[in-house]
Amino acid sequence: MSKTEHIIKTGKINAGNYFEDFQLNQVIHHATPRTIAEGEMALYIALTGARQVLHSADTVAQSLGYNARPVDDLLAFHIAFGKTVPDISVNAIANLGYADVRFLQPVHIGDTLSTSSTVIGLKQNSNGKSGVVYVRSVSINQLQQPVLSWVRWVMVHKNNLDAPAPETVVPNLPNYVPADELSVPTFLDARKFNTAVTGGQYLWDDYAVGERINHPAGMTISDTDHTLATKLYQNNARLHFDDVMMKKTAFGRRLMYGGHIISLCRALSNDGLENALCIVAINGGTHCNPSFGDDTIYTWTEVLDKWDVPNRSDVGALRLRMVGIKNIPADALESTHITTDGKQTYHPNVVLDLDYTVLMPRKSN
């Protein structure tokens, strides 16, 4: 008798939740709180090329009223988001979209983030093999203060195809976070903002609704880079890591984490939006088509709206549409959509359509 015949199979493995495991109003407290250190900020820059000045220089942050430069908004978001993956989307087919993402207060080096989620919607797909799960997640710091909240929806495999479909509930979500609900730090003071620190001369007053900025640079991303970035966020979704599994799918290879595309596009958009200080909301977003290692990412930005911030004369809010494109420069693609047989769909090279809001200094009165 071989030694292997004495092996006892264990049931201790957590395989994650499948669609039939979710219940409406279910609250999930996600494991592994994360303390953010200086190294995460340096590695994030190395992987994305992010150049937003508020997150790059203590001196600039301090001139604006911060004690020190805050953690990049998207780095904090990805880390908070990563906490949810083992419970929400480790068995995902795709992360479909975001809405009502609110950056409630800055995250700093030394902060510890913990995240919980509530199931707010369920809808089984017509094929009976998967369904869409809607969750609202909240991340708090070590002082129990909310720092981020967001809604996302994800398509998840069923494990037991005979499990009955739940009642369909699709939540009503806002189209955008209005100006009077944006969380603007009370200590922020941009009255003496010096554009020399960014190299960009344009402030909030200089942008017009409907304006489109074709950001000139592209960035080719390798499998190594996007894999390392996803590990940085402790996002363990298998479709980003398991090449053997993904070879059996229609894609034939691993997918790039969509959040990494958001970060790349945000970094590329610095040219033309140099004075955008921070993200205060993500109003909605779609990962339109998959991205893979060795794709080259480009982006353009459209100004959707510009708002006065209540009781503030030093900063204004710009609502922006950031479009990510693979393998075609931004100025070579006129529209995000194509029409085939009378049906409009995203152009196959469009990988991201993100509606978000930033704060930007205003000209002195």
Side-chain angles (χ1 to χ4, degrees):
M1 183 178 291
S2 69
K3 292 182 179 180
T4 57
E5 291 183 82
H6 294 284
I7 293 175
I8 300 174
K9 292 184 179 180
T10 180
K12 294 184 173 67
I13 300 300
N14 180 6
N17 291 313
Y18 290 89
F19 178 71
E20 66 269 24
D21 298 319
F22 292 99
Q23 298 177 17
L24 194 65
N25 300 319
Q26 176 184 4
V27 178
I28 303 170
H29 297 282
H30 306 294
T32 319
R34 176 74 174 272
T35 302
I36 302 177
E38 182 78 40
E40 279 92 331
M41 294 178 69
L43 183 54
Y44 182 78
I45 292 173
L47 292 169
T48 65
R51 291 181 287 148
Q52 280 68 35
V53 71
L54 177 62
H55 310 299
S56 296
D58 282 338
T59 53
V60 175
Q62 289 162 355
S63 74
L64 291 166
Y66 294 78
N67 292 328
R69 70 195 190 282
V71 172
D72 189 289
D73 305 305
L74 290 176
L75 172 58
F77 175 71
H78 295 325
I79 288 175
F81 179 98
K83 301 295 96 185
T84 72
V85 170
D87 298 307
I88 304 299
S89 52
V90 73
N91 295 311
I93 299 169
N95 189 56
L96 299 178
Y98 311 92
D100 201 24
V101 184
R102 301 181 186 228
F103 295 79
L104 302 172
Q105 63 176 318
V107 176
H108 290 280
I109 292 172
D111 282 351
T112 299
L113 302 187
S114 303
T115 305
S116 62
S117 299
T118 302
V119 179
I120 62 172
L122 293 167
K123 182 179 185 297
Q124 181 165 300
N125 290 330
S126 58
N127 63 13
K129 298 179 180 179
S130 61
V132 178
V133 181
Y134 298 80
V135 297
R136 183 180 297 278
S137 301
V138 178
S139 190
I140 60 174
N141 63 19
Q142 67 280 4
L143 302 176
Q144 306 301 302
Q145 299 167 329
V147 297
L148 278 160
S149 68
W150 68 95
V151 173
R152 69 161 170 145
W153 48 104
V154 57
M155 188 182 300
V156 182
H157 288 288
K158 288 187 73 172
N159 188 39
N160 176 11
L161 300 185
D162 295 326
E167 178 187 358
T168 296
V169 175
V170 177
N172 292 319
L173 300 172
N175 292 326
Y176 60 88
V177 180
D180 61 357
E181 294 183 19
L182 298 174
S183 295
V184 180
T186 55
F187 56 77
L188 173 63
D189 185 352
R191 288 177 293 177
K192 297 181 180 179
F193 184 77
N194 182 2
T195 57
V197 299
T198 67
Q201 62 178 308
Y202 300 113
L203 298 176
W204 178 88
D205 313 71
D206 298 310
Y207 292 86
V209 174
E211 179 179 2
R212 171 170 156 170
I213 305 166
N214 292 319
H215 306 291
M219 189 180 299
T220 302
I221 184 73
S222 70
D223 275 323
T224 300
D225 287 349
H226 78 79
T227 301
L228 184 56
T230 311
K231 289 177 180 176
L232 172 65
Y233 313 134
Q234 294 178 316
N235 180 333
N236 69 332
R238 291 193 287 268
L239 70 172
H240 306 313
F241 293 105
D242 191 337
D243 200 52
V244 172
M245 179 188 78
M246 292 305 292
K247 277 185 168 62
K248 301 174 185 176
T249 69
F251 299 115
R253 60 184 301 190
R254 294 181 295 135
L255 302 182
M256 193 183 305
Y257 165 48
H260 192 53
I261 293 293
I262 296 175
S263 286
L264 295 181
C265 291
R266 167 79 166 145
L268 293 169
S269 74
N270 190 66
D271 292 318
L273 291 168
E274 293 90 347
N275 295 315
L277 295 178
C278 58
I279 300 173
V280 284
I282 297 175
N283 303 299
T286 302
H287 297 296
C288 317
N289 288 290
S291 300
F292 306 95
D294 299 322
D295 279 344
T296 300
I297 305 302
Y298 298 88
T299 192
W300 85 61
T301 297
E302 178 186 353
V303 180
L304 296 179
D305 212 338
K306 53 187 298 187
W307 301 319
D308 293 313
V309 175
N311 304 313
R312 299 297 294 259
S313 61
D314 58 330
V315 292
L318 289 179
R319 182 182 170 197
L320 306 173
R321 181 190 185 198
M322 183 167 68
V323 175
I325 312 152
K326 62 180 180 182
N327 307 323
I328 299 176
D331 60 2
L333 194 62
E334 289 298 319
S335 173
T336 57
H337 287 74
I338 58 174
T339 301
T340 305
D341 297 329
K343 183 179 180 181
Q344 195 174 62
T345 58
Y346 275 102
H347 189 285
N349 290 75
V350 174
V351 295
L352 176 69
D353 193 348
L354 193 79
D355 177 337
Y356 73 118
T357 304
V358 299
L359 294 182
M360 185 177 287
R362 300 179 67 156
K363 293 180 178 178
S364 301
N365 294 327

